[in-house]
């Protein structure tokens, strides 16, 4: 279940998405919320998007 981005916890692996009229468009890698925005969990690289929703990252559901 997608949650509003304003409720996202800090320092936890999350799946991020941007919602539009077609539904959620999710990133394919886990991210973490930090004081300055969002980073990729694995590399600590800044993620330059403005997500609208989040949910807990579930690795089994995100593998191709």
């Amino acid at each position: 279940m997608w949650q509003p981005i304003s409720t996202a916890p800090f320092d936890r692996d999350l799946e991020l998405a941007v919602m539009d009229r077609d539904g959620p468009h999710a990133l394919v890698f886990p991210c973490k919320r930090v004081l300055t925005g969002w980073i990729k969990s694995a590399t600590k690289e800044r993620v330059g998007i403005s997500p609208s929703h989040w949910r807990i990252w579930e690795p089994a559901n995100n593998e191709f």
Side-chain angles (χ1 to χ4, degrees):
M1 177 74 109
W2 291 106
Q3 305 295 320
I5 203 65
S6 61
T7 65
F10 284 87
D11 203 29
R12 184 166 181 185
D13 285 349
L14 302 175
E15 183 177 9
L16 301 181
V18 176
M19 297 281 193
D20 66 18
R21 65 179 183 195
D22 297 324
H25 299 279
L27 298 182
V28 296
F29 50 85
C31 295
K32 288 186 180 178
R33 184 178 183 187
V34 294
L35 290 177
T36 57
W38 296 95
I39 60 172
K40 291 182 180 180
S41 294
T43 65
K44 310 297 186 247
E45 179 183 357
R46 181 169 156 47
V47 178
I49 66 161
S50 296
S52 59
H53 289 77
W54 70 276
R55 63 184 174 194
I56 299 298
W57 178 263
E58 300 287 345
N61 295 336
N62 292 294
E63 294 178 353
F64 292 58

